[in-house]
Amino acid sequence: MLAADDARNRLDSDRIVRESFVEQVRSHETIDSTNDDALEFCRNNLCSVPLLVVTSRQTAGRGRGSNQWWSSAGALTCSLVIQPAYFGIAEQQWPKASLTTGLAICLALDTLARQQEVALKWPNDVWMNRRKICGILIEVGGRRPAPTLVIGIGINVNNSFAGAPDELQEIATSLVDTTGTVFDLTEVLIEVLGEFERQLARLRDDDRQLAAEWRARCALRGRFVELEAGRQKIQGTCLGIDADGALMLQTPTGQERYFGGVITQIG
Ligand code: BTN
């Protein structure tokens, strides 16, 4: 349907700068990981932010913990470097950045692919029709001249899973698989960046509706899950996400809130 070198898979850096809040784009044909490049670049340079690192091919994409992120041609893989203070975001609000980014991606996907079920899988995945379409990896970058966050985003756009093993097709999807339409990656990215900027402004303004929207999008609510948090493995029924971004679980010993961890099983 789409050749790997199709123009729609190429990102137009000038247009991204013109049509979004991003001020600088570092574009690589191939790179190990856009997050690693962003972290390294900001360590060694006084980078002007907001900076975006993009690539057509990642050879060692990273997920949360020790996970890898594997993506083929047509996926959107990028890392955004921001100084939260520039957006008026205080350091105590950083833990909410992941869900805020996730919500922004949900809203962008709603616009790009109408009438699909787009949900947040706490803490940092986006699902479309109960399959993973996006992963987010947020890391703390350099602190000079001001603290930065590196927001890594991988969205399955034109990379179809149609030929992938059944086990993978059951858990992952892409925009092209869901809609049958090939997308222009630059347009997808500009939509995502626009939503990101709008949702970040809501976080800055302490908009209470923001948390209500995370809650409404929670894919795990009512499901029995296993959460790995450090050395602990906790099982319980998900009660949703609270206003602080914590996952609420009904466990055999009572109701608990968790601010981090990996969901290892979903019943
Ligand atoms: C996850 O699912 O655990 C998070 C995946 C994050 C993948 C993106 S792709 C762009 C950026 N660079 C990386 O190495 N990882 C993130």
Side-chain angles (χ1 to χ4, degrees):
M1 182 196 278
L2 175 78
D5 63 352
D6 190 293
R8 285 166 292 185
N9 280 344
R10 263 179 247 126
L11 285 163
D12 179 342
S13 302
D14 292 339
R15 189 171 161 206
I16 293 165
V17 171
R18 259 194 332 268
E19 296 184 27
S20 78
F21 64 88
V22 164
E23 286 182 8
Q24 188 188 357
V25 178
R26 276 171 66 74
S27 177
H28 304 276
E29 197 45 47
T30 302
I31 190 101
D32 47 3
S33 150
T34 54
N35 264 40
D36 286 347
D37 182 73
L39 289 166
E40 177 77 7
F41 186 71
C42 292
R43 235 188 324 269
N44 300 327
N45 302 274
L46 266 186
C47 60
S48 79
V49 288
L51 163 80
L52 187 75
V53 181
V54 294
T55 189
S56 303
R57 198 168 95 86
Q58 256 189 166
T59 54
R62 292 188 290 110
R64 292 180 70 235
S66 54
N67 292 345
Q68 292 182 325
W69 176 263
W70 186 86
S71 57
S72 53
L76 181 61
T77 44
C78 62
S79 299
L80 180 62
V81 184
I82 60 161
Q83 286 173 357
Y86 171 97
F87 290 92
I89 309 287
E91 206 150 329
Q92 61 268 27
Q93 288 173 300
W94 288 11
K96 298 181 188 170
S98 185
L99 286 167
T100 304
T101 307
L103 178 65
I105 291 166
C106 288
L107 293 165
L109 292 176
D110 280 349
T111 305
L112 294 161
R114 307 253 168 214
Q115 294 178 338
Q116 310 296 330
E117 187 192 319
V118 186
L120 280 170
K121 192 209 138 205
W122 183 94
N124 62 349
D125 288 349
V126 176
W127 282 1
M128 185 173 273
N129 302 334
R130 298 183 194 160
R131 293 180 170 86
K132 180 163 173 168
I133 193 163
C134 165
I136 300 162
L137 175 66
I138 302 195
E139 297 179 296
V140 178
R143 298 188 74 87
R144 268 190 280 185
T148 55
L149 285 182
V150 175
I151 302 175
I153 299 173
I155 307 180
N156 298 321
V157 180
N158 295 325
N159 49 321
S160 174
F161 289 85
D166 287 353
E167 314 83 80
L168 191 54
Q169 287 195 41
E170 275 163 27
I171 56 169
T173 192
S174 65
L175 273 175
V176 71
D177 287 332
T178 318
T179 64
T181 306
V182 173
F183 286 79
D184 182 313
L185 285 194
T186 305
E187 276 165 22
V188 173
L189 182 54
I190 288 170
E191 188 66 43
V192 166
L193 292 170
E195 268 311 335
F196 177 79
E197 194 181 12
R198 281 189 282 280
Q199 300 316 310
L200 219 55
R202 296 177 73 194
L203 180 63
R204 174 199 64 209
D205 297 343
D206 244 334
D207 179 344
R208 299 181 75 182
Q209 268 306 109
L210 189 63
E213 288 182 37
W214 301 336
R215 271 200 291 276
R217 296 266 182 179
C218 178
L220 300 177
R221 194 167 35 183
R223 309 276 299 262
F224 188 79
V225 300
E226 181 178 86
L227 171 73
E228 208 172 281
R231 290 194 182 156
Q232 264 189 303
K233 276 192 175 171
I234 308 109
Q235 294 186 329
T237 303
C238 175
L239 302 173
I241 303 169
D242 75 6
D244 296 320
L247 187 76
M248 297 185 294
L249 291 186
Q250 182 65 52
T251 72
T253 52
Q255 203 169 306
E256 308 282 354
R257 303 163 76 217
Y258 297 92
F259 285 90
V262 179
I263 300 289
T264 45
Q265 281 182 49
I266 304 173

